């Protein structure tokens, strides 16, 4: 439900049950497709409803990028807790790398750069398509406040999902925290 609200917010439209069910369908399809490709069905369904494909791709890009950043933050914190338990320095390195990857992706989404547009086509095989998608999806900058709010909502969603799973584990007698 929270992600469908975030998508509606990113599309600058109001939330409707129809949008919720289109999002849920895309999420279900993406569970069976590599690389979350099932979300392309959301682009097609929303385009049929009158939305611009580029606007939908940009909205999904913002939602996915903020999810990645939120998960990188939570994974970094989890790695630090894990390191505290076992004392292994490699996990600190992994946490830092994950955080830097998240920050880099946030930079790509938040601040469109001409350098990146020139660099992307150099990637073998997929580069030209990535460059076109980058230009099309990020043709106007999203505000930093909007992106930070999306990351905060992503963190909230992750914490709620985690709390739900902990309740399931405790109900099954598997809670050992």
């Amino acid at each position: 439900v929270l992600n469908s609200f975030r998508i509606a917010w990113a599309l600058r439209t109001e939330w409707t049950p129809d949008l919720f069910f289109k999002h849920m369908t895309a999420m279900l399809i993406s569970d069976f497709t590599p690389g979350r490709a099932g979300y392309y069905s959301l682009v097609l369904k929303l385009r049929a409803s009158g939305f611009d494909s580029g606007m939908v791709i940009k909205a999904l890009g913002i939602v996915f990028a903020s999810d990645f950043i939120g998960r990188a933050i939570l994974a970094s914190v989890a790695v630090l807790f894990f390191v505290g338990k076992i004392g292994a320095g490699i996990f600190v390195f992994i946490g830092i790398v994950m955080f830097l990857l998240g920050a880099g992706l946030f930079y790509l989404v938040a601040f469109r750069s001409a350098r990146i547009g020139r660099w992307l086509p150099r990637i073998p095989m997929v580069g030209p398509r990535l460059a076109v998608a980058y230009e099309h999806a990020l043709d106007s900058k999203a505000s930093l406040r909007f992106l930070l709010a999306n990351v905060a909502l992503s963190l909230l969603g992750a914490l709620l999902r985690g709390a739900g799973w902990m309740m399931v584990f405790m109900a099954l007698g598997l809670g050992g925290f």
Side-chain angles (χ1 to χ4, degrees):
V1 174
L2 184 60
N3 272 349
S4 64
F5 278 108
R6 289 173 56 211
I7 291 169
W9 186 31
L11 288 171
R12 292 177 174 82
T13 187
E14 74 179 49
W15 182 88
T16 62
D18 183 53
L19 179 64
F20 170 73
F21 287 113
K22 287 176 182 175
H23 161 66
M24 293 303 290
T25 302
M27 191 168 68
L28 180 65
I29 293 170
S30 72
D31 285 343
F32 298 100
T33 56
R36 310 295 274 168
Y39 269 98
Y40 187 69
S41 69
L42 183 62
V43 175
L44 296 176
K45 289 176 185 264
L46 289 176
R47 186 173 65 186
S49 298
F51 286 94
D52 176 53
S53 296
M55 190 168 97
V56 175
I57 291 169
K58 179 181 179 182
L60 290 176
I62 290 169
V63 169
F64 289 150
S66 53
D67 278 347
F68 180 81
I69 293 164
R71 288 180 182 148
I73 291 168
L74 290 175
S76 299
V77 171
V79 164
L80 293 175
F81 280 127
F82 186 67
V83 167
K85 292 279 186 186
I86 65 168
I90 187 69
F91 293 107
V92 172
F93 175 74
I94 291 170
I96 290 169
V97 167
M98 289 173 63
F99 179 77
L100 290 175
L101 282 173
L105 186 57
F106 182 75
Y107 175 81
L108 288 176
V109 173
F111 307 105
R112 189 174 156 267
S113 168
R115 273 184 295 170
I116 296 166
R118 287 191 306 269
W119 178 76
L120 280 175
R122 296 179 185 169
I123 299 173
M125 297 192 315
V126 296
R129 284 182 270 169
L130 282 175
V132 170
Y134 184 74
E135 289 297 321
H136 187 63
L138 301 176
D139 56 357
S140 63
K141 295 179 184 175
S143 74
L144 187 58
R145 183 177 177 202
F146 175 72
L147 292 171
L148 291 175
N150 251 297
V151 171
L153 288 172
S154 177
L155 288 171
L156 174 66
L159 291 173
L160 291 174
R161 281 189 301 276
W165 278 109
M166 285 189 64
M167 288 181 203
V168 168
F169 289 147
M170 291 195 316
L172 295 172
L174 301 173
F177 297 104

